Amino acid sequence: MLKSDQEEKQPRRKTMRDRMMRVALITTAIALLVAGGAMLANDLSVYRRSWAADLETDATILALSIGPALAFDDHVVALRNLSALRARQSILAAALYSANGRLYAQYTQDGVALPAPQLKISGHATHLFANRAEVTQPIVQNGEFLGTIYLRAQYDVIDRVKAYLGIFSLVTLASMGVALVLSSALQRAIIEPLDAIADVARRVVNQRDYSLRAKPVTDKDIGLLVEAFNNMLNEVQLRTRELEQSNTALTAEIKYRLSAEQRMRESEKLYRAIGESIDYGVWVCDAEGRNLYASESLLKLIGMTQEQCSGFGWSQALHPDDMKEALAAWQENTHSGNFWYREHRMLGVDGNYHPILAQGVPIRAEDGTISRWAGINLDISRLKQTEDALRDADRRKDEFIAVLAHELRNPLAPIRNAVKMLEASNATQQQQQWGRQVIVRQVQHMALLLDDLLDVSRITRAKLELRKTPITLAALIAAAVETARPLIDEKQHILETKLPPESVVLEVDPLRIAQALSNLLTNAAKYTDRGGCIIFSATVDDNNVVFTVSDNGIGLSATMIPSLFEMFSQVESALDRSQGGLGIGLALVKGFVSLHGGTVQAQSAGEGQGSIFTIRLPCSCIQAHTPQEPPAIESKPMLSNLKIVVADDNRDAAQCLALLLDLAGHEVHTAFSGTQALELAIQQRPNAMILDISMPDMNGYDIAQQIRETSWGKKILIIAITGWGQQSDADKMRGTVFDYYFSKPVDPSELENIFAIYLQQSRTVGLSSTNFS
């Protein structure tokens, strides 16, 4: 009976143990199922979201890289970018749609169905399915919708679930084994680790922090469960880290692409700025020569928009004479592929045609075909103006040379005739005297022409030096009238002179101002018909000394006045009235007056209405005191004759001057080279030497320097003469071994005055100063 009761009780205990174990197993299983299910669900959720993020990232990068190709309609580049997705095995298909929804380019893996033929989606969309994801990404650049990117990807969910189930099964089996071994007394020891695992699982789910781990326990069975749970978390964390690294790499790639695009935009701005800095910028055409782009500077010049200029619209701005030929040449050039270089005129918004030089080169693709044309438009208006100015200067130079030849040839005829008359045996004394006067006049006329040329050269090179001295206004005007009087009297003009009542003293260069005034008077006399009237007046106000020369001559046109004071300028309608001149008289007037700080201007009511020329000198030229007249040089008879050496490689010039000096009573020795002149000087020890500067074997400067080094040569008179007559020659001689410097032809009377001064000085203090004329 007891045994029977014990047997009955034993199964009952076993049943309860089984029940407890069953409860423990069920409880453990439920806990594991709940925890494993939650982890699996969470991992699958994260995994699916990672699909979307990964695919969206691919779509964003592809939109950035493929946008320029779509904008420039570059199908090859677009297809190349889509084909680059081949490296992503998970992407099954990709398609590029244009803005109107038409399929532009596509890529699919083998055996995968093609995307839809049309897609009209302008917004971003992501769709997740059981084992695949689809993303549509709009392509927008600078606010413009260019098209849509479509991507389809498939992911291996089954293998991931299997991996999780394997881990879960391992954990479950381990847990069941532990539950079978544990006794009911160890229930409390089991509950705590499981609670810890559940807590970690909740925190992982809530915080998504896969670095959390369950605390290990010493019990092997529970420790195995914890280790399995932590291993599962390790796997999840590893996968999560891989996704994060992938996302980081994609983010870096996006940043690099964005930076590259930024640099590209900055480079484009730089080249656009460089292009805009060129007048008139740059241009781009397609392979057939149709314009695609023109710089703003050109568009502003011709008043067109980019759309109007595109194609061949720019040709509408061409000059009618240039349009047909320019278009034909451009079409031929696009076919030949040669370098484009052509000048043409384009109508600007200002109503004027602007000269432009267009240059361009072909841009070739990898296969050698022309894909684009690019070039620049250069503003050559200044170049054309310079060419016109050079042509005008060349024309005026030719005219000047012709006038110069005419003016130098004119005196030669009377000189030649006068010489022939002097050679005639039957010429009377009166005729011979007249012939000598003709020669003197004509030589003086030629000398004046040469002096004018030299003065113009000095003024243009800023080498002319003013020698200001006090002079009365009346004396200045008298000197100018005296110079112009012969021509005025010859043409029987009436000259009226008006002066201020008070005496005025000026601090000017009397020679230059008198020459400027006489040039105006001579000019008025030339261009006024016989018996005309010339009024010469001088006034003084608070700011200026004003000289006015007015006449009732042929007058001036309005177009002629602006260039009247330029070099070689003459009134074309009055060339027959010029009566000798090189067209430099008024240029000299302007130069002389400008050097004094004054101005000169011309006025005329028109042709046939006479003209008025006005010179204004600043008040700084006026002096407050009256100058003392320089003492007149007392003319004394020659005290004695001089021994003179004349040296010139021009035999006629040397012999003529020697003959004149011989007729004046001097003892003259002639040399025709520098060496001969030096030998004569050493032999004769003359009182004076007249040396030509430019002699081939030894120049006059070297001769004079050697003479000055001797004891007897320190006090002799040495005069330099030259045919160059430049101011630089005088500057070179100034303060050197020469006492005087003359330009050819030298006036014999001036030489006689110098000889007289030399004799006076040699009798008193000796020759100790150097003078220049």
Side-chain angles (χ1 to χ4, degrees):
M1 187 72 180
L2 283 174
K3 189 176 181 179
S4 175
D5 293 337
Q6 290 178 353
E7 289 176 356
E8 290 179 0
K9 290 181 181 178
Q10 187 174 2
R12 194 177 298 120
R13 289 195 299 269
K14 184 177 180 180
T15 301
M16 292 180 64
R17 186 169 56 250
D18 293 339
R19 188 176 298 168
M20 290 178 62
M21 295 304 297
R22 189 181 301 114
V23 170
L25 292 174
I26 292 173
T27 304
T28 303
I30 292 174
L32 289 174
L33 287 174
V34 171
M39 294 297 295
L40 180 60
N42 179 70
D43 185 74
L44 290 178
S45 177
V46 172
Y47 188 44
R48 284 165 59 85
R49 284 196 294 272
S50 68
W51 299 352
D54 187 23
L55 202 57
E56 288 173 357
T57 302
D58 289 342
T60 301
I61 294 175
L62 190 59
L64 291 174
S65 62
I66 211 169
L70 192 60
F72 288 95
D73 195 19
D74 196 336
H75 187 271
V76 174
V77 174
L79 188 57
R80 188 185 303 137
N81 288 335
L82 287 180
S83 299
L85 297 174
R86 193 181 304 276
R88 301 295 297 265
Q89 296 296 328
S90 60
I91 297 180
L92 301 179
L96 174 63
Y97 296 91
S98 60
N100 57 10
R102 292 189 176 277
L103 182 62
Y104 187 79
Q106 64 182 5
Y107 157 76
T108 60
Q109 292 190 10
D110 296 338
V112 179
L114 300 177
Q118 280 195 338
L119 187 68
K120 295 185 178 178
I121 299 176
S122 60
H124 174 80
T126 302
H127 300 282
L128 298 175
F129 302 94
N131 63 341
R132 76 174 194 275
E134 294 181 354
V135 171
T136 55
Q137 174 69 38
I139 303 174
V140 179
Q141 281 193 354
N142 299 324
E144 180 183 2
F145 175 71
L146 300 178
T148 305
I149 292 290
Y150 167 82
L151 296 180
R152 182 196 303 170
Q154 183 173 353
Y155 298 91
D156 192 358
V157 180
I158 302 300
D159 289 341
R160 188 173 186 87
V161 172
K162 287 180 179 180
Y164 274 96
L165 290 177
I167 297 172
F168 179 76
S169 299
L170 179 62
V171 173
T172 302
L173 291 175
S175 300
M176 291 300 179
V178 172
L180 290 173
V181 176
L182 292 177
S183 63
S184 58
L186 299 177
Q187 292 297 323
R188 185 175 299 174
I190 296 173
I191 293 172
E192 291 180 358
L194 292 179
D195 287 341
I197 293 174
D199 181 63
V200 171
R202 283 193 300 272
R203 290 167 61 190
V204 168
V205 172
N206 295 330
Q207 302 175 13
R208 296 183 181 179
D209 184 2
Y210 298 100
S211 64
L212 297 174
R213 297 291 184 269
K215 184 178 180 181
V217 296
T218 56
D219 187 273
K220 293 182 178 180
D221 295 329
I222 300 301
L224 181 61
L225 176 63
V226 174
E227 184 179 358
F229 179 74
N230 288 338
N231 288 338
M232 183 176 64
L233 290 180
N234 288 336
E235 180 69 17
V236 174
Q237 185 180 17
L238 179 62
R239 296 296 180 88
T240 302
R241 186 178 293 113
E242 290 177 353
L243 290 175
E244 290 176 350
Q245 292 175 351
S246 177
N247 289 337
T248 302
L250 290 175
T251 302
E253 179 69 16
I254 291 173
K255 290 181 178 180
Y256 176 78
R257 294 289 181 90
L258 293 175
S259 177
E261 290 185 358
Q262 179 65 25
R263 291 195 299 270
M264 185 179 298
R265 286 192 293 270
E266 292 176 355
S267 177
E268 181 182 355
K269 290 180 181 179
L270 174 62
Y271 286 114
R272 186 183 295 271
I274 293 174
E276 290 296 340
S277 67
I278 303 172
D279 289 335
Y280 295 98
V282 299
W283 52 266
V284 178
C285 294
D286 61 14
E288 288 73 30
R290 292 184 291 268
N291 180 262
L292 300 176
Y293 172 78
S295 292
E296 286 296 325
S297 54
L298 179 66
L299 298 178
K300 290 179 180 179
L301 173 71
I302 61 179
M304 287 187 178
T305 63
Q306 183 65 67
E307 182 179 359
Q308 293 171 334
C309 186
S310 297
F312 296 97
W314 56 271
S315 63
Q316 300 302 315
L318 289 175
H319 192 282
D321 297 340
D322 299 344
M323 182 184 297
K324 184 176 180 181
E325 186 176 354
L327 284 176
W330 175 235
Q331 291 290 344
E332 180 182 355
N333 195 81
T334 55
H335 293 308
S336 63
N338 294 328
F339 179 80
W340 175 246
Y341 185 94
R342 189 174 185 86
E343 295 181 13
H344 50 250
R345 294 164 292 177
M346 301 192 81
L347 180 63
V349 293
D350 57 359
N352 299 321
Y353 282 96
H354 298 259
I356 293 175
L357 172 61
Q359 300 183 83
V361 294
I363 301 175
R364 299 185 182 274
E366 295 180 358
D367 58 358
T369 59
I370 297 176
S371 60
R372 292 284 191 277
W373 286 84
I376 59 175
N377 291 314
L378 295 177
D379 178 13
I380 56 174
S381 56
R382 293 184 180 178
L383 177 61
K384 290 299 181 182
Q385 292 172 1
T386 302
E387 290 178 355
D388 293 341
L390 288 175
R391 280 193 293 268
D392 183 65
D394 186 65
R395 176 187 59 79
R396 292 172 62 183
K397 180 259 298 179
D398 292 340
E399 292 177 355
F400 165 72
I401 291 176
V403 172
L404 178 61
H406 175 267
E407 295 303 325
L408 292 178
R409 191 179 296 112
N410 278 344
L412 294 179
I415 290 174
R416 182 188 301 160
N417 295 335
V419 171
K420 289 292 185 182
M421 186 188 66
L422 292 174
E423 292 176 348
S425 58
N426 57 348
T428 65
Q429 185 176 1
Q430 183 178 3
Q431 290 173 332
Q432 291 179 351
Q433 179 64 23
W434 178 84
R436 288 190 290 270
Q437 292 175 351
V438 167
I439 293 173
V440 170
R441 277 199 308 271
Q442 297 303 323
V443 169
Q444 289 177 345
H445 176 67
M446 294 178 68
L448 287 175
L449 290 177
L450 295 176
D451 287 341
D452 284 348
L453 285 175
L454 292 176
D455 284 340
V456 169
S457 175
R458 292 165 185 154
I459 290 173
T460 56
R461 293 184 296 111
K463 294 294 185 180
L464 184 65
E465 296 181 1
L466 297 179
R467 299 178 181 177
K468 294 185 178 181
T469 59
I471 185 173
T472 62
L473 183 62
L476 193 63
I477 291 179
V481 172
E482 181 181 359
T483 302
R485 176 63 71 180
L487 181 59
I488 294 174
D489 293 343
E490 178 186 345
K491 299 193 68 173
Q492 300 178 359
H493 292 318
I494 300 174
L495 175 62
E496 182 180 352
T497 303
K498 298 180 180 179
L499 297 176
E502 68 278 4
S503 177
V504 179
V505 180
L506 302 179
E507 180 75 18
V508 295
D509 187 327
L511 177 63
R512 302 308 182 186
I513 295 299
Q515 184 178 353
L517 295 174
S518 65
N519 281 359
L520 293 184
L521 289 172
T522 303
N523 197 68
K526 287 180 180 179
Y527 298 107
T528 301
D529 292 333
R530 185 175 296 275
C533 180
I534 301 173
I535 301 175
F536 183 18
S537 64
T539 59
V540 178
D541 56 25
D542 294 336
N543 297 319
N544 298 286
V545 180
V546 183
F547 299 93
T548 303
V549 177
S550 59
D551 61 68
N552 58 352
I554 63 173
L556 297 167
S557 64
T559 58
M560 188 60 195
I561 290 178
S563 61
L564 200 60
F565 294 96
E566 295 179 1
M567 285 287 294
F568 317 131
S569 175
Q570 290 186 339
V571 181
E572 295 181 359
S573 61
L575 290 178
D576 57 336
R577 299 171 177 258
S578 63
Q579 300 178 4
L582 303 177
I584 61 177
L586 292 180
L588 282 174
V589 172
K590 182 179 179 181
F592 293 151
V593 172
S594 297
L595 288 174
H596 286 80
T599 60
V600 59
Q601 64 179 20
Q603 295 175 293
S604 178
E607 295 185 1
Q609 301 297 317
S611 57
I612 301 174
F613 288 85
T614 304
I615 292 177
R616 287 183 171 84
L617 296 179
C619 59
S620 58
C621 294
I622 303 176
Q623 267 200 356
H625 62 278
T626 303
Q628 296 180 355
E629 294 295 335
I633 297 178
E634 183 179 356
S635 177
K636 295 183 178 180
M638 186 73 70
L639 299 179
S640 62
N641 295 334
L642 299 176
K643 183 185 292 186
I644 304 172
V645 172
V646 176
D648 196 330
D649 59 334
N650 187 324
R651 290 179 174 267
D652 290 340
Q655 291 174 348
C656 286
L657 182 57
L659 179 59
L660 291 173
L661 295 175
D662 183 69
L663 292 175
H666 301 289
E667 178 185 343
V668 184
H669 300 272
T670 308
F672 305 117
S673 68
T675 304
Q676 186 181 4
L678 185 59
E679 292 175 353
L680 273 177
I682 295 173
Q683 294 173 4
Q684 299 296 330
R685 295 195 178 183
N687 304 110
M689 295 186 72
I690 302 175
L691 302 176
D692 182 22
I693 295 297
S694 301
M695 288 187 287
D697 58 340
M698 182 183 293
N699 61 46
Y701 181 82
D702 293 336
I703 298 170
Q705 196 168 28
Q706 293 190 33
I707 295 296
R708 291 298 190 199
E709 292 175 354
T710 65
S711 58
W712 55 269
K714 289 182 172 58
K715 295 183 179 181
I716 71 171
L717 178 66
I718 303 180
I719 300 172
I721 59 173
T722 180
W724 294 107
Q726 300 294 327
Q727 184 66 28
S728 58
D729 298 322
D731 294 339
K732 182 179 179 182
M733 298 302 107
R734 190 183 305 276
T736 61
V737 292
F738 293 101
D739 297 300
Y740 290 90
Y741 171 89
F742 287 99
S743 298
K744 293 181 180 180
V746 61
D747 189 348
S749 61
E750 292 187 26
L751 291 177
E752 290 297 335
N753 290 334
I754 292 174
F755 294 153
I757 295 172
Y758 168 73
L759 288 172
Q760 292 176 4
Q761 291 177 340
S762 63
R763 281 182 170 273
T764 54
V765 296
L767 185 62
S768 60
S769 62
T770 301
N771 302 288
F772 285 84
S773 174

